[in-house]
């Protein structure tokens, strides 16, 4: 079978408090999607314990560099929030990939190339960014509340 679509999979989880099995689940779903659509996977890029709000992720940057070399023409992610949790970053990276002839596809949020598809893609990116910002705010508020109560936020309380 000759493949015309060569894809890479990009998977990520945010913090060291999350399970590494998250990566295995993402990759399995992406592989299943590719197999169902006759897409050949040529590489897998994984960033562990890296926030999606920052584009300075080693494997993410390697993927962008490899796209410039023409090694693939599709990036498959499980969800858009695995690609980025920052709208500006997501749009910038997506545009950089498009200039290389590479399309980003989410197995869950698979938007078409119509103006409506672009709109819903942007909405999905915005929701991912909103989730991240709200989580940061709630985490900070929890830290403040713990401090007010004299409790340690995480780990072993300090002595003294």
């Amino acid at each position: 079978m000759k493949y015309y679509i060569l894809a890479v999979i990009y998977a990520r989880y945010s913090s060291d408090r999350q399970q590494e099995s998250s990566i295995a689940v993402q990759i399995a779903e992406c592989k299943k999607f590719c197999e169902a659509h006759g897409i050949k996977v040529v590489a897998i890029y994984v960033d562990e314990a890296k926030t999606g709000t920052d584009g300075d992720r080693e494997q993410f940057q390697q993927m962008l560099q490899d796209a410039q070399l023409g090694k693939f023409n599709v990036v498959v992610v499980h969800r858009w929030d695995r690609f980025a949790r920052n709208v500006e970053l997501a749009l910038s990276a997506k545009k950089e990939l498009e200039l290389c002839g590479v399309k980003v596809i989410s197995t869950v949020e698979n938007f078409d190339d119509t103006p409506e598809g672009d709109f819903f893609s942007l909405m999905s990116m915005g929701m991912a960014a909103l989730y991240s910002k709200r989580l940061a705010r709630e985490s900070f508020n929890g830290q403040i509340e713990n401090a007010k109560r004299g409790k340690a936020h995480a780990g072993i309380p300090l002595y003294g």
Side-chain angles (χ1 to χ4, degrees), residues 17-160:
R17 287 178 273 170
Q18 288 183 301
Q19 295 181 356
E20 290 180 35
S21 63
S22 166
I23 295 291
V25 170
Q26 290 175 55
I27 291 171
E29 288 298 316
C30 289
K31 283 182 174 179
K32 187 166 68 172
F33 177 90
C34 290
E35 189 176 303
H37 291 86
I39 299 170
K40 181 177 182 178
V41 177
V42 295
I44 299 173
Y45 300 90
V46 174
D47 281 309
E48 297 178 350
K50 300 291 183 182
T51 178
T53 60
D54 182 2
D56 193 24
R57 294 172 258 148
E58 185 177 328
Q59 289 290 288
F60 186 78
Q61 289 300 319
Q62 185 64 56
M63 178 185 67
L64 295 176
Q65 289 174 13
D66 289 348
Q68 292 176 353
L69 299 174
K71 293 185 175 185
F72 53 89
N73 46 15
V74 172
V75 174
V76 179
V77 294
H78 180 56
R79 299 184 73 95
W80 268 105
D81 65 359
R82 301 299 86 202
F83 186 72
R85 281 196 184 270
N86 172 308
V87 176
E88 293 83 9
L89 168 63
L91 290 174
S92 173
K94 185 179 174 193
K95 183 68 171 177
E96 184 177 338
L97 289 167
E98 286 173 355
L99 291 172
C100 298
V102 176
K103 182 178 179 177
V104 182
I105 298 173
S106 163
T107 64
V108 175
E109 305 142 329
N110 198 2
F111 306 113
D112 58 24
D113 292 328
T114 64
E116 294 82 5
D118 288 343
F119 172 77
F120 287 114
S121 173
L122 185 59
M123 291 289 293
S124 179
M125 290 177 207
M127 293 300 290
L130 173 64
Y131 174 82
S132 183
K133 289 177 182 178
R134 289 179 69 189
L135 185 61
R137 180 181 64 202
E138 290 170 14
S139 178
F140 179 74
N141 289 343
Q143 291 172 1
I144 297 296
E145 190 59 34
N146 281 342
K148 286 178 182 176
R149 294 179 180 190
K151 294 182 179 181
H153 179 65
I156 299 171
L158 298 174
Y159 179 76

